[in-house]
Amino acid sequence: MAVLELRIEVAGASPLSRTFDAESLVIGRKAGADIVVDDASVSRRHARLFAKEGAWFVEDLHSRNGSRLNGQPISEPVRLKGGDIVRVGDTLVRMVSAGGEAPPAPATMAAPVSDEALFTVLKPASELLGRAGEEVGAASRLRLLNEVHRALAAPVSREDLLQLILDRAFAVLEPEDAAVFLKGANGELHRAAERRSSRSSGALLVSRRLAEEVTTKGAAALVLDAQADERFASAESVILSGVRSILAAPLSDGEGCLGMIALYSNVAARRFSEQDLELLVSLGSAAALRIRNIALVEQEAERRVVDRELALARDIQMGMLRRQPLGRSDVDVAARQEPARQVGGDFYEYLMDGDRLWFIVADVSGKGMAAALTMAMSQTLFRAIATLRLPLDEVMARLNREVARDNERGMFVTALAGCLDVATGRLELANAGHNLPYLLRRNGTVDLVAARNALALGVLDKVTFPVTELLLEPGNGLFLYTDGVCDALDPKGAAFGTSGIERHLRGTASRPAGEIVDGVFEAVAAFAGEAPQEDDITVLAIRRGPGAS
């Protein structure tokens, strides 16, 4: 019997070390295999390890997808050495030792090297960048870098730029594989571009530890022999099938690290040097600047598109607000809205149904597009429901049910709605968690109307809305507003408040509705000065004509 020590690495699982005392081991998906691989791409009897004349061999058992040794297809039995890797599907089976003997030096090395030369070189990329022109042959390398800079300076998309970076890396450093990894919005690396030689196969992976050294610590990495470097032996996916020499450099500029570029090679084909690493760092630095510039250009283009869409949304939203006068002498109505952003969540509405004037002022929770969509829906619903000739409490109950329907975002609407019989002056008010209105008397006095309160629209499906009744005599008026008025701040952080509203209304209570509305906006603007508007501002004023009976 022959003793064989193997290290089995399955994707997504911790590596497993096992020792076998046998003459033959079958790898396959079948339950009776000596090494069972649960992978649909693996045949039931996929490959076999067997001992012969004191040595171990591997052969493919005519599997459907084939087996590979150190990245090369296995077409006939091949003798194994310590450190060799057999790939079966996505599983790696690494030969550690046989019969207790130390594994021989890898046959793929071009020449014997010292133990120190096998290990990874990690150096600050900034240090290497400063040394890029110091080594022998600097003139030719600087000419090459100049060519790279010229090539990268041409107008190009990000995808074409990444391929151009890889093309230059292949032309200069002659790897077998190369890839550019970029950071996503969450900081995780993703492979943005890659280039493979005709000789390479299998998944192109990168060690998490290596990526952290390069992208987080700003190191440039040279792995002279990945399979012999103990510091990476336990790292996930660093032992790539057939890959031994790795170069990795950060894509960094003054704003930070965008990702990394990595080159891979089999030592027999190409073993990278520290001079190669310095050149890759220079290439990565030039590439990072262009990638950043392209990203900024793309962001600016996206911002312009968003701004155009928001401007269109604002035009549509403002177009929904009624501005035309009612054209009646017995009632005067004016309203105005100014959103804090391009689109807002406040709205107002007023319409005549015979001699009845229906009106509402409302404030949707939140800001931005979600609030604007809820505003548009609520305003449209109020228009439709108010013309059904229902009592005010039923109008509000139906409006609430519709706003609450499928309200997965939890948006709610505070609102004050009412109905005025212009002929008689009978006024009904329903308050859904909104600011109380003011009664404007023709003698110039102002009184707060204690409209009975109820829950905001959209919070619960079933809500009862009590109605407050009063008489609006000829010449008297009503003022409604959203909290953007009283919450307006001056440069020192003081609020306009209800005291500011009352102070202004006492001086304008007897004026036409339009003058009252415009006056409030002028007063708020004068109070705020250079302070930015933090919330939507909406006001509505109603005055019953002096000639109304």
Side-chain angles (χ1 to χ4, degrees):
M1 303 291 280
V3 178
L4 179 65
E5 184 180 352
L6 300 176
R7 179 184 175 88
I8 303 170
E9 300 178 12
V10 181
S14 300
L16 176 65
S17 296
R18 293 184 60 185
T19 300
F20 295 89
D21 189 2
E23 297 290 339
S24 175
L25 299 171
V26 173
I27 306 172
R29 188 161 47 88
K30 185 178 179 182
D34 300 289
I35 302 175
V36 178
V37 177
D38 186 11
D39 185 338
S41 66
V42 175
S43 300
R44 297 174 66 189
R45 289 173 54 85
H46 197 103
R48 183 172 75 102
L49 307 177
F50 62 94
K52 181 180 178 182
E53 298 177 355
W56 279 90
F57 293 78
V58 61
E59 65 177 345
D60 183 73
L61 299 178
H62 306 291
S63 63
R64 183 173 66 255
N65 295 315
S67 308
R68 293 181 178 273
L69 175 63
N70 298 328
Q72 302 302 315
I74 300 174
S75 58
E76 58 185 20
V78 183
R79 182 171 177 171
L80 293 171
K81 307 174 299 298
D84 280 347
I85 294 179
V86 176
R87 178 181 287 274
V88 174
D90 289 331
T91 297
L92 304 180
V93 179
R94 180 180 181 186
M95 183 173 180
V96 179
S97 64
E101 297 180 357
T108 53
M109 296 295 291
V113 295
S114 66
D115 290 341
E116 182 180 359
L118 292 174
F119 287 86
T120 299
V121 177
L122 292 172
K123 292 188 176 181
S126 56
E127 174 186 324
L128 294 177
L129 189 61
R131 289 172 39 191
E134 295 178 0
E135 76 282 355
V136 176
S140 61
R141 286 178 177 265
L142 288 175
R143 283 197 300 272
L144 176 60
L145 286 175
N146 188 37
E147 293 175 4
V148 169
H149 277 280
R150 287 203 304 270
L152 296 182
V156 67
S157 67
R158 193 185 79 161
E159 290 72 19
D160 290 341
L161 172 65
L162 298 181
Q163 288 301 326
L164 177 60
I165 294 169
L166 296 179
D167 289 345
R168 303 313 300 173
F170 258 76
V172 177
L173 298 169
E174 301 177 350
E176 289 189 293
D177 304 296
V180 174
F181 300 87
L182 295 181
K183 287 184 178 181
N186 59 358
E188 293 290 328
L189 284 179
H190 67 279
R191 186 163 53 255
E194 68 176 38
R195 181 172 171 181
R196 316 293 296 275
S197 70
S198 59
R199 301 183 301 274
S200 65
S201 62
L204 189 57
L205 306 173
V206 65
S207 161
R208 291 181 181 177
R209 178 175 174 182
L210 185 62
E212 181 180 359
E213 292 284 349
V214 175
T215 62
T216 303
K217 301 180 181 179
L222 166 59
V223 182
L224 295 177
D225 193 331
Q227 297 182 21
D229 191 332
E230 295 179 354
R231 287 176 292 180
F232 286 92
S234 61
E236 281 188 34
S237 71
V238 74
I239 307 301
L240 306 175
S241 180
V243 172
R244 292 178 181 268
S245 193
I246 303 174
L247 280 183
L251 298 172
S252 297
D253 61 6
E255 300 296 322
C257 184
L258 298 169
M260 63 181 282
I261 179 171
L263 310 184
Y264 307 85
S265 178
N266 186 296
V267 176
R270 175 82 160 88
R271 185 154 72 89
F272 299 121
S273 67
E274 288 196 44
Q275 287 73 29
D276 295 330
L277 186 60
E278 292 171 9
L279 186 57
L280 185 64
V281 168
S282 299
L283 176 61
S285 177
L289 183 60
R290 289 290 291 129
I291 293 172
R292 179 82 68 182
N293 288 341
I294 289 176
L296 291 175
V297 170
E298 291 176 346
Q299 290 172 8
E300 177 62 21
E302 292 174 357
R303 187 189 64 78
R304 287 197 296 268
V305 171
V306 172
D307 286 346
R308 285 196 297 269
E309 292 177 348
L310 287 174
L312 177 59
R314 177 188 175 93
D315 291 343
I316 293 173
Q317 185 181 43
M318 299 306 289
M320 294 179 64
L321 299 174
R322 194 179 302 276
R323 288 185 174 81
Q324 301 84 359
L326 292 176
R328 296 176 63 124
S329 60
D330 52 357
V331 65
D332 180 21
V333 183
R336 181 175 163 186
Q337 181 203 54
E338 285 190 8
R341 301 182 181 180
Q342 286 186 290
V343 291
D346 283 8
F347 73 91
Y348 67 81
E349 184 58 89
Y350 58 89
L351 64 149
M352 293 297 302
D353 179 20
D355 282 338
R356 294 196 301 175
L357 171 67
W358 290 92
F359 57 89
I360 188 172
V361 168
D363 183 358
V364 179
S365 62
K367 293 180 175 64
M369 192 59 70
L373 292 172
T374 304
M375 162 261 168
M377 177 193 68
S378 303
Q379 182 184 10
T380 302
L381 287 170
F382 180 78
R383 284 180 180 176
I385 298 172
T387 59
L388 297 178
R389 295 184 175 273
L390 298 172
L392 177 59
D393 59 346
E394 181 58 26
V395 169
M396 293 295 283
R398 289 198 180 190
L399 178 59
N400 174 71
R401 285 197 297 271
E402 293 301 323
V403 173
R405 187 192 305 274
D406 300 324
N407 186 12
E408 295 180 357
R409 288 182 171 269
M411 305 290 286
F412 62 89
V413 183
T414 69
L416 184 70
C419 181
L420 171 66
D421 188 322
V422 176
T424 65
R426 183 171 178 266
L427 176 63
E428 296 180 335
L429 297 173
N431 187 10
H434 200 74
N435 306 88
L436 295 177
Y438 286 96
L439 177 65
L440 311 178
R441 300 187 186 276
R442 56 189 175 188
N443 62 5
T445 60
V446 177
D447 294 320
L448 191 68
V449 178
R452 288 187 290 171
N453 202 3
L455 203 60
L457 303 173
V459 178
L460 298 176
D461 292 338
K462 296 181 179 181
V463 178
T464 300
F465 294 90
V467 174
T468 301
E469 296 184 15
L470 64 152
L471 181 65
L472 192 65
E473 297 180 352
N476 286 355
L478 191 70
F479 178 81
L480 296 79
Y481 66 98
T482 59
D483 57 11
V485 179
C486 53
D487 290 345
L489 303 177
D490 68 6
K492 296 182 180 180
F496 189 68
T498 55
S499 60
I501 297 175
E502 294 169 4
R503 184 168 53 253
H504 171 75
L505 291 179
R506 279 195 291 270
T508 61
S510 60
R511 295 180 184 176
E515 292 185 18
I516 296 173
V517 169
D518 291 340
V520 169
F521 277 91
E522 292 171 3
V524 170
F527 175 83
E530 298 299 322
Q533 180 182 338
E534 298 292 343
D535 199 2
D536 304 334
I537 297 177
T538 303
V539 299
L540 182 146
I542 301 170
R543 182 172 299 285
R544 190 175 176 219
S549 57

